[in-house]
Amino acid sequence: VNAAGIGIALALLLPATAHAVQLPPVTRATLDNGLRVIVAETRELPLVELYVMVGSGAAQDPVGKEGLASLTADAVTRGAGTLSAEDFARAVESLGGSLGAQAGTDGTIVNGEFLAEDFPTGLDLLRKVLRDATLADDEIRRARDDQLAALVAALEDPSTVAERCFGAFLYGDHPYGRWLDGTKASVQSITRDDVKAFYDRWYRPNNTIVTVVGDVRAADVLERMRVALGDWESRPDAVPERAGPPAPITARRTLLVDQPDASQAQIRVGSIAMARNAPDLLPSQVVNTVLGGGFSSKLIEELRVKRSLTYGASSMFVARLTGGDFRISTFSKNATAVETLALALEVQQAFRTQPVDAKLLGKARTFLAGQFPLKLETPDALAGRLAEIEFFGLPKDDLETYVSRVEAVGPDVAHQMAERHMPTADRVAIVVAGKASEIKPALEEQFGPVRVVAREECEGLRP
Amino acid sequence: VSSSGKTGAVLARLVLAVAVLLAGRGPAAAVSIPAEEFTLDNGLRLLVHVDRSAPVVSSYIFFRAGSRNERRGTTGIAHLFEHMMFNGGKKFGPGVFDDVIEGHGGSTNGFTTRDMTAYLNNFPTAALPVVLDLEADRVAHLAITPENLEQERGIVMEERRLRIDNDVEGAMNEALYLQAYQRSPYRWNTVGFMADLERITLEEARAFFQTYYAPNNAVMVLSGDVDPAAAHALVKKLFGDIPRRPPPAPVDAAEPPQDGERTVMVRKPAQLPSVMLGYQAVAATHPDRPALDVAAQLLAGGESARLTLDMVRTTEVATGVYADLRWGIDPDLFLIYAQAKPGKTADDLIARIDEGVSGLARGPVAPEELARAKRQLRIELLKGLKTVGGKANQLGFFEVVFGDHGKVGELEAQWNAVTPEDVQRVVAKYLVPERRTRAVLQPVQPETPASARPAAAETGAPS
């Protein structure tokens, strides 16, 4: 048997998933104005996804104007070019399509979906949004009112309250601790000039990636891009200087958010971890799958299956441009909230100190590898992943090598990752959002001093 | 029991339209999901849709067992049972179901509605035999033990707290159906009443399984990288020996006539008023259903739809509005839900909804407005077919609710046939106060107990 023969034989013995990720051809180009364009041709459905990443988000909100990136994103589709807000909505919806924008922390996503045959019209609408948004006074007022209403409505949802308080309590003054929608006071202070300035500065080709995935031809897309966006003017200061990594947590802190009407408490516990481009991220995600990914994780086993304390429990690494966090999320009725929190933390502590079970690790690898093609099934999902590679500066073959990198994570590396990136129990931020009178005594007894706030007080909260 | 006697005959109806799915690529091509269809001797239906675009398969098994099949005193048992189905059979013992699926690269879940319970898995092609083995084992030999029941009872109670008791919209929805239906089992929520969840017995769980988890009460759907003949052989081997059982008694969903509008006030700690309106409408198979679908789209399908335009933009009474006819085996509700902007009231919302609905009844809708609604419905349908799982779900849903999976291919033609007069007629007939129930949210501002406040002050929290 020659070497090539052995190679083939081995390949056949590998799990079917190992080399099976088939990606459509991807074309990448950069226009003279710095606009990066990515095109992938898929043929399954007669749809096309337009997915634009503008590289500025809530992290670029000026202090005191938190929520500006969100408000700007909301405003850009409320009238553009010669179309009023109503005409614009009608133009999109007459095609049966969609086109909207939403700010994130590091960037803003403008995306739309159309029938492939409507791509030229869809692109023209997108061009108007990116280059020629009207930002009329009255539309800014409407967007501001909507955002203020959303801030109020967010207080109704216990899980949202917990997320918001956790972000602020974990990240403190770092921009990553900001709530995307800002605060009541900051949103009220945002003017049309603020929105215009944000739009004029950041919505620029040299700060933007356009990804097109669907039943289109790359050459045709590129040609149309050049026509629609080739003379879009760049700006030397359009690429933001990013905040440094967030400060690690040096001592445990505990926040109890009082929701006196809640029969169930939301629980978050975590610490500062790593950025999206950290080489440790993928192996850490593999080992985290054993602890808190999927339905057969250790957290599910201990909290849900063995004790019926909760309906859901998970852990994850949230990874952004210059930093991120590790967090455990779960919930339980008020009476068992502290027991649930303590057990979640105990499971995680044991996990980071003991070697990772090789069998469980193997299962986690197979799970991630097996699910990977399912995560790239839709044009919008693929567009998001391709844009992510570009935005975070990941290797261009990130998707092609994903499965082999997952398969390479052995027990030693896994244990190192758990030790390095999952926190010790004395260096975590804890947020419990539930009925304080019922939870506080036990929480103090187990975790020491507890700070209690009303849910409204998470606006502008500092650790 | 072998099904060999009918080996040739199980191909009751081979759908020949294998390449019909969007074959024309133009707007005129009907959206359909071609499937090969088999029926085992024991009555199990098998639908296979081939999609080789990725080496993945989605399996769904549907049982005609939803909360409509429950009785007073055992509400929630269908959903509780869905949970119990993950806890082991004979060949695969307690706690290994999730383990084995994930260990083969698959993910698994289930859901329960008023009409059905479904179990789904998305996995790499190579895992098909083990996935079907797991499914057959739990259908044939589920371990209905006290441990299994007690474990899931607590988890489901947490799920109820999450989805209903601590969720304003969930609580409104439950209150609406309880008021809108007097006699039909559609009246209670799928998650069930807490008191019933507390008392459901093992005998009741066993009886439910015996009655409803029969092969002749189930539909298996496979979608993706799968060969129909091989899949059929495998399903026959694994499921063929499970005995047929007497068909469950038909559900009596007849409602007494509704002679006047009903109102239920929901007092909940909440920030913004809202209303949820339910109009007694028609079953999914009723000839008036397509026109009501179009009416829902005209009312709230996008920013340019009538209610959205009026309530969110023109009069600015609502943060958002939603309209939808639920497709049920029995006549379900045509729902309209709206949340007030700060300072606006439930009465403001109802007044504008009444105006918008009666406007649809008063005069014929303009051709371009009707065309827009139909195009949106078509694209929404297309979007449901992006994934192998989405297609499996649709096939099974149509088989169970519409009585024939092929009906999915008729949707577009039905919508296209809707005339302006049809819209006027169904709105005037169904969307009237005499058929309506209103759930009106009365927000109660939560009190913050004194015990929580001093602690906040001591630690210097901003207030």
Side-chain angles (χ1 to χ4, degrees), chain A residues 198-240:
Chain A
F198 193 97
Y199 179 71
D200 282 345
R201 175 155 181 205
W202 303 122
Y203 285 61
R204 293 288 171 177
N206 50 328
N207 192 31
T208 299
I209 300 156
V210 180
T211 305
V212 178
V213 177
D215 192 4
V216 290
R217 306 282 162 188
D220 177 58
V221 171
L222 285 176
E223 183 47 40
R224 289 181 185 279
M225 283 289 167
R226 282 193 186 94
V227 173
L229 300 172
D231 59 350
W232 186 12
E233 286 168 26
S234 63
R235 213 178 129 143
D237 62 350
V239 181

Side-chain angles (χ1 to χ4, degrees), chain A residues 94-419:
Chain A
S94 294
L95 303 173
S98 60
L99 184 57
Q102 192 155 27
T105 303
D106 289 310
T108 296
I109 289 162
V110 184
N111 70 326
E113 194 164 55
F114 296 91
L115 284 178
E117 65 195 40
D118 293 328
F119 174 69
T121 320
L123 177 60
D124 185 55
L125 292 165
L126 177 67
R127 177 187 65 79
K128 289 180 164 77
V129 166
L130 293 176
R131 302 181 58 176
D132 201 9
T134 311
L135 309 177
D137 276 325
D138 193 49
E139 298 300 336
I140 302 296
R141 176 193 64 78
R142 289 166 187 280
R144 191 193 302 119
D145 285 352
D146 282 359
Q147 199 158 319
L148 288 168
L151 281 172
V152 172
L155 295 170
E156 278 178 13
D157 179 41
S159 170
T160 308
V161 168
E163 290 291 325
R164 178 179 185 170
C165 298
F166 183 68
F169 196 58
L170 176 65
Y171 284 96
D173 279 326
H174 193 277
Y176 289 175
R178 285 176 193 164
W179 188 241
L180 295 174
D181 278 342
T183 70
K184 195 176 166 192
S186 70
V187 174
Q188 272 167 344
S189 82
I190 294 173
T191 64
R192 197 251 174 192
D193 287 347
D194 295 325
V195 175
K196 182 93 171 90
F198 193 97
Y199 179 71
D200 282 345
R201 175 155 181 205
W202 303 122
Y203 285 61
R204 293 288 171 177
N206 50 328
N207 192 31
T208 299
I209 300 156
V210 180
T211 305
V212 178
V213 177
D215 192 4
V216 290
R217 306 282 162 188
D220 177 58
V221 171
L222 285 176
E223 183 47 40
R224 289 181 185 279
M225 283 289 167
R226 282 193 186 94
V227 173
L229 300 172
D231 59 350
W232 186 12
E233 286 168 26
S234 63
R235 213 178 129 143
D237 62 350
V239 181
E241 272 185 46
R242 310 284 176 182
I249 292 185
T250 52
R252 183 166 67 215
R253 47 187 189 243
T254 309
L255 182 74
L256 177 56
V257 185
D258 191 17
Q259 309 208 85
D261 41 73
S263 60
Q264 188 176 61
Q266 287 284 338
I267 299 163
R268 303 289 182 275
V269 51
S271 65
I272 299 299
M274 66 200 123
R276 179 65 184 85
N277 64 356
D280 280 2
L281 183 64
L282 185 67
S284 297
Q285 285 169 333
V286 174
V287 67
N288 177 63
T289 302
V290 180
L291 174 65
F295 262 122
S296 60
S297 69
K298 284 194 176 287
L299 285 172
I300 286 285
E301 176 73 15
E302 296 297 328
L303 271 59
R304 175 173 156 146
V305 176
K306 282 196 189 159
R307 293 177 185 83
S308 306
L309 285 168
T310 187
Y311 171 67
S314 62
S315 60
M316 69 187 300
F317 286 94
V318 174
R320 300 190 172 119
L321 203 50
T322 65
D325 62 78
F326 166 81
R327 63 177 75 181
I328 298 171
S329 308
T330 186
F331 48 85
S332 190
K333 57 186 179 291
N334 289 317
T336 50
V338 177
E339 179 189 351
T340 305
L341 162 67
L343 185 62
L345 206 47
E346 187 188 315
V347 170
Q348 183 257 317
Q349 290 305 300
F351 184 74
R352 75 176 288 283
T353 47
Q354 292 157 13
V356 182
D357 181 295
K359 208 173 139 210
L360 294 180
L361 184 66
K363 198 193 76 184
R365 287 193 303 254
T366 310
F367 174 65
L368 290 173
Q371 291 297 296
F372 190 62
L374 291 155
K375 294 209 161 100
L376 301 174
E377 243 189 315
T378 66
D380 37 313
L382 181 58
R385 295 297 289 249
L386 292 171
E388 190 188 11
I389 288 170
E390 193 69 34
F391 181 70
F392 291 104
L394 308 178
K396 292 290 184 280
D397 61 355
D398 185 75
L399 300 178
E400 286 87 342
T401 62
Y402 176 90
V403 169
S404 58
R405 285 181 293 129
V406 166
E407 302 286 2
V409 179
D412 292 345
V413 171
H415 185 50
Q416 274 172 24
M417 294 299 122
E419 256 190 326

Side-chain angles (χ1 to χ4, degrees), chain B residues 229-240:
Chain B
H232 173 230
L234 190 57
V235 169
K236 201 163 84 173
K237 184 179 133 209
L238 293 166
F239 289 81

